[in-house]
Amino acid sequence: MQKKIILKARAFLEEAIRDRFVSAGFPSCVKLAELGCSSGTNALLAISEIIDTIHEMSQRINCESPEFQVFLNDLPETDFNNIFKSLPAFYEGLMKEKGGKLGNCFVTGMPGSFYGRIFPTRSLDFVHSSASVHWLSQVPAGLKNNKGHIYMANTCRPDVLKAYTKQFQRDFTMFLGLRSEEIKPGGRMVITITGRSIEDPSSKDCCDLWELLAKSLLDMLADGLVEEADVDSFNLPMYNPFEGEVKALIEEEGSFNLDKLETFEASWDPYDDSDKTRSGQNVANCIRSATEPMLATHFGDAIIPDLFARYANRVAEHLSMEKGHHFLVVFSLTKK
Amino acid sequence: MQKKIILKARAFLEEAIRDRFVSAGFPSCVKLAELGCSSGTNALLAISEIIDTIHEMSQRINCESPEFQVFLNDLPETDFNNIFKSLPAFYEGLMKEKGGKLGNCFVTGMPGSFYGRIFPTRSLDFVHSSASVHWLSQVPAGLKNNKGHIYMANTCRPDVLKAYTKQFQRDFTMFLGLRSEEIKPGGRMVITITGRSIEDPSSKDCCDLWELLAKSLLDMLADGLVEEADVDSFNLPMYNPFEGEVKALIEEEGSFNLDKLETFEASWDPYDDSDKTRSGQNVANCIRSATEPMLATHFGDAIIPDLFARYANRVAEHLSMEKGHHFLVVFSLTKK
């Protein structure tokens, strides 16, 4: 799924890069950050896109290709070793593709939460983040009475929906403020998040996927495999905003101009398998990779395989009745 | 051992920092690199010393404490995850000690060999390396006929000693050239390496420790536990230079002024245990942590515990007859 989203954001990246460097020229070293890079190979995919585009642009105007210093960011618990071991092959691939013309490229790891300062003041030229900024800094403060759910849903109490909305407003505003200190004036940021298609926060296109996970947990509760108190107290630190919310918060925070915003859909199943059983399994694998650490911390490791087997079945059943789509919001910002 | 060496180099660090920043002033963000940081807690010890000193200096002259961007460097196979997980506690410790007065501090990981470019051109203010730069980029080219040894020794053939010397000359010169591209003019470098006390390259103070390891391998060969061809083809990619060699190479390479050079000794056993058996074990643990990956790659994992048990005994036996010391060379350089 990550790969599809990055490819979809390509036009945004190209436009933002062109706008940034055609007007201001290339610095001798372009400083890039990938926020929420995770530990897979996708971490380097967007970076590779950005380097490609800048390199080609420099060749077209007969300039020397600049150096690149790349900061891969994620939480300190992330498996950076895995990414780092793949770097020699990544550099070799770049060299092979571009020959000796590409400027030096240095990929570093920056462990830390993007809800705190992670880069020196006015040090970055370009920031990218793919499917990360919809994760909140914490489960919403004051979230109670969300019995039977693990996220927003259309049968949630209004105060639950309000608590989620407030937490996102606070976190996203903080995120913009922190990045505005770190990005050079005129620097760009391209961000993709999963959002929702309508204003109603219990919109099915952001909530269905998690209701199916909640139901799988309730199935396990009915079978005596998890504790009721554990299910009641588990909630996802995530929010899928409507595009209007994103626009309003950017304007209100005031540090960035919103250059462009678009929305698009992506199937739950990145392989779009026609076999619903396999499709359910594919979706379960994706969701497992994103949520396993927090579920394991809360419920223990032991329940994970059973939970995601049940979840795969529930997703397959759902997909046999209707399609499932993530609703994505991609936007490009310029630091004032 | 690492800790002792870092504490010994403290005076060098303080002097170099004072000289660097009193004349040139503080940049808004001081960029530091620790080369060959390994994966333990020592990685952050020297960094913490440098940050402390700069912070105190800024307070003394009523300046705002600058920001710090710290690059921890080691090979891509290093366990960076371990260091990264310790960062939240490291930041908390800094905050507690300095209160709100310390500038933002951002620790990043830079995987890569220091025998290649790892930082953008003229980007670093200060480079530190502790007990790493005596490791060569490879086992000396053209090293043959070192039967019965794994490093230099006084019974080695002269061409073996020459091959080691040449490889160090090439590598150390390359190291200086690469760093001279990365360090800002006027920037400093403080380096500690294990060297030797006399000009003779088979000096016992650098070779004894490794001859005991070679003998432990030969014991295992006699017991049929390792292959003769494997023992014959194993050599350490390391060189312990005489201080005169270090001085000459710095002068010849020409990018740096040598501000100061000193030598000191440190016991093989960092705990200086009076019980020789325990002392042998301590030394074996140190040497194992530095050499296990390359021994395991060459001989397989299985021999490691037996090898270091035998080695601990041989070291204990040696220490009951005479003391064992590492001979260290610490020097401070300024980029011209």
Side-chain angles (χ1 to χ4, degrees):
Chain A
M1 188 183 101
Q2 274 279 4
K3 190 166 177 176
K4 278 196 172 175
I5 295 173
I6 290 169
L7 295 177
K8 197 83 190 184
R10 187 186 283 194
F12 273 73
L13 284 174
E14 283 181 4
E15 199 175 305
I17 291 165
R18 198 178 56 236
D19 290 355
R20 167 61 176 157
F21 296 111
V22 163
S23 57
F26 296 109
S28 59
C29 179
V30 176
K31 308 215 169 161
L32 307 171
E34 174 73 19
L35 306 182
C37 65
S38 184
S39 56
T41 47
N42 288 321
L44 293 167
L45 188 66
I47 290 303
S48 166
E49 282 282 322
I50 297 171
I51 291 175
D52 268 19
T53 311
I54 293 176
H55 174 69
E56 272 164 33
M57 212 180 296
S58 71
Q59 296 298 293
R60 218 177 302 140
I61 58 171
N62 282 318
C63 257
E64 215 174 308
S65 182
E67 293 185 319
F68 299 90
Q69 191 170 36
V70 177
F71 296 88
L72 299 176
N73 156 262
D74 214 319
L75 295 175
E77 303 80 51
T78 306
D79 182 6
F80 279 92
N81 287 351
N82 192 40
I83 312 179
F84 287 176
K85 278 176 199 151
S86 73
L87 284 178
F90 175 74
Y91 291 134
E92 208 180 304
L94 278 181
M95 280 294 289
K96 212 176 260 176
E97 215 175 290
K98 315 282 178 222
K101 287 185 175 169
L102 187 71
N104 290 319
C105 176
F106 312 105
V107 180
T108 63
M110 178 59 232
S113 163
F114 52 55
Y115 293 118
R117 277 289 300 273
I118 42 180
F119 300 105
T121 305
R122 284 185 291 285
S123 64
L124 297 175
D125 295 289
F126 207 93
V127 169
H128 178 256
S129 182
S130 192
S132 290
V133 181
H134 51 264
W135 289 103
L136 301 171
S137 66
Q138 57 173 64
V139 170
L143 194 67
K144 288 178 201 136
N145 308 316
N146 201 23
K147 213 173 159 66
H149 306 291
I150 60 170
Y151 182 49
M152 304 190 298
N154 58 12
T155 53
C156 280
R157 294 166 50 116
D159 61 331
V160 169
L161 305 180
K162 209 168 147 192
Y164 267 109
T165 306
K166 279 208 153 179
Q167 186 68 41
F168 177 73
Q169 287 170 347
R170 200 169 10 233
D171 281 350
F172 188 61
T173 301
M174 195 202 316
F175 175 84
L176 294 171
L178 291 162
R179 298 300 83 73
S180 88
E181 296 179 43
E182 296 167 348
I183 297 177
K184 294 179 192 169
R188 304 285 161 134
M189 184 146 71
V190 173
I191 295 179
T192 307
I193 57 178
T194 60
R196 64 179 192 266
S197 62
I198 54 169
E199 205 164 347
D200 177 3
S202 62
S203 155
K204 61 198 286 358
D205 56 6
C206 71
C207 302
D208 272 4
L209 201 61
W210 307 109
E211 270 299 275
L212 295 170
L213 188 59
K215 281 176 182 152
S216 308
L217 280 167
L218 293 173
D219 291 345
M220 290 185 78
L221 176 60
D223 291 348
L225 299 167
V226 290
E227 302 286 330
E228 185 165 11
D230 285 345
V231 179
D232 285 352
S233 60
F234 184 76
N235 288 290
L236 288 165
M238 194 183 66
Y239 183 78
N240 300 109
F242 175 58
E243 61 173 285
E245 288 180 279
V246 174
K247 284 180 181 167
L249 289 171
I250 292 167
E251 195 167 324
E252 205 169 297
E253 196 278 330
S255 307
F256 291 90
N257 286 320
L258 177 63
D259 302 323
K260 194 176 165 185
L261 180 147
E262 274 179 22
T263 60
F264 62 99
E265 291 189 342
S267 296
W268 285 357
D269 174 11
Y271 304 104
D272 280 324
D273 204 312
S274 59
D275 179 323
K276 296 306 165 209
T277 307
R278 282 204 301 261
S279 217
Q281 192 57 58
N282 295 341
V283 176
N285 291 345
C286 282
I287 297 299
R288 179 171 174 168
S289 76
T291 58
E292 179 165 348
M294 56 191 116
L295 285 162
T297 304
H298 193 86
F299 293 99
D301 290 324
I303 72 150
I304 302 294
D306 190 0
L307 174 62
F308 282 98
R310 290 165 190 258
Y311 182 58
N313 289 337
R314 281 205 169 261
V315 172
E317 195 183 351
H318 182 95
L319 290 177
S320 68
M321 293 180 298
E322 56 181 305
K323 288 204 165 185
H325 287 107
H326 299 286
F327 188 83
L328 290 125
V329 185
V330 52
F331 51 99
S332 174
L333 304 169
T334 301
K335 171 73 175 80
K336 286 181 186 170
Chain B
M1 188 182 103
Q2 274 280 3
K3 192 167 177 177
K4 277 195 170 176
I5 295 173
I6 291 168
L7 295 177
K8 197 82 190 181
R10 186 185 284 192
F12 275 73
L13 285 174
E14 282 181 3
E15 198 174 306
I17 291 166
R18 197 180 53 236
D19 290 356
R20 166 61 174 158
F21 297 111
V22 163
S23 57
F26 296 109
S28 59
C29 178
V30 175
K31 305 212 172 166
L32 308 172
E34 174 73 21
L35 305 182
C37 65
S38 186
S39 56
T41 46
N42 287 321
L44 294 167
L45 189 65
I47 290 303
S48 165
E49 282 282 322
I50 298 171
I51 291 175
D52 267 18
T53 311
I54 294 176
H55 174 71
E56 272 163 34
M57 211 180 295
S58 72
Q59 297 298 294
R60 218 177 302 139
I61 58 171
N62 281 321
C63 258
E64 215 175 310
S65 182
E67 292 185 319
F68 299 91
Q69 192 171 36
V70 177
F71 295 88
L72 299 177
N73 157 261
D74 214 318
L75 296 174
E77 304 80 50
T78 306
D79 183 6
F80 280 91
N81 287 350
N82 192 39
I83 312 179
F84 287 177
K85 278 177 200 150
S86 73
L87 285 178
F90 175 73
Y91 291 134
E92 207 180 305
L94 279 181
M95 280 294 289
K96 211 175 262 176
E97 216 174 291
K98 314 285 177 219
K101 286 187 176 168
L102 187 70
N104 291 319
C105 176
F106 312 106
V107 180
T108 64
M110 177 61 232
S113 163
F114 52 56
Y115 293 118
R117 279 288 301 272
I118 41 179
F119 299 105
T121 305
R122 284 187 290 285
S123 65
L124 297 175
D125 296 288
F126 207 93
V127 170
H128 178 256
S129 182
S130 190
S132 289
V133 181
H134 51 263
W135 290 103
L136 301 171
S137 65
Q138 57 173 64
V139 170
L143 193 67
K144 288 178 200 133
N145 310 315
N146 202 22
K147 214 173 157 67
H149 305 292
I150 60 170
Y151 182 49
M152 303 190 298
N154 57 13
T155 54
C156 281
R157 292 166 50 113
D159 60 334
V160 169
L161 305 180
K162 208 168 147 192
Y164 267 110
T165 307
K166 279 208 153 178
Q167 186 68 42
F168 178 72
Q169 287 171 346
R170 201 169 10 234
D171 281 350
F172 189 61
T173 302
M174 196 203 314
F175 175 84
L176 293 172
L178 291 163
R179 296 301 83 72
S180 88
E181 295 177 45
E182 297 167 347
I183 297 175
K184 294 180 193 168
R188 304 287 162 130
M189 184 146 71
V190 173
I191 295 179
T192 308
I193 57 179
T194 61
R196 62 179 192 266
S197 62
I198 55 168
E199 205 162 350
D200 176 4
S202 62
S203 154
K204 61 197 289 354
D205 57 3
C206 70
C207 302
D208 272 3
L209 201 60
W210 307 109
E211 271 298 275
L212 295 171
L213 188 59
K215 281 177 182 151
S216 307
L217 280 167
L218 293 173
D219 291 345
M220 291 185 77
L221 176 60
D223 291 347
L225 299 168
V226 290
E227 302 286 329
E228 186 165 11
D230 284 345
V231 178
D232 285 353
S233 60
F234 183 77
N235 288 290
L236 288 166
M238 193 183 67
Y239 184 77
N240 300 109
F242 175 58
E243 62 172 286
E245 288 180 278
V246 174
K247 283 181 182 166
L249 290 171
I250 292 167
E251 195 167 324
E252 205 169 297
E253 195 277 332
S255 308
F256 291 89
N257 286 319
L258 177 63
D259 302 324
K260 193 176 167 185
L261 181 147
E262 275 180 20
T263 61
F264 63 99
E265 292 189 341
S267 297
W268 286 355
D269 173 10
Y271 305 104
D272 281 324
D273 204 311
S274 58
D275 179 323
K276 296 307 164 206
T277 308
R278 280 203 303 260
S279 217
Q281 193 57 58
N282 294 341
V283 177
N285 291 345
C286 282
I287 297 300
R288 178 171 176 169
S289 76
T291 58
E292 179 165 350
M294 54 191 120
L295 285 163
T297 303
H298 192 87
F299 294 99
D301 290 325
I303 73 151
I304 302 294
D306 190 1
L307 175 62
F308 282 97
R310 288 165 190 259
Y311 182 57
N313 289 337
R314 280 204 170 262
V315 173
E317 197 183 350
H318 182 95
L319 291 177
S320 68
M321 294 179 299
E322 55 182 306
K323 288 205 166 186
H325 286 108
H326 299 286
F327 188 83
L328 290 125
V329 185
V330 53
F331 51 99
S332 173
L333 304 168
T334 300
K335 171 74 175 78
K336 286 179 186 169

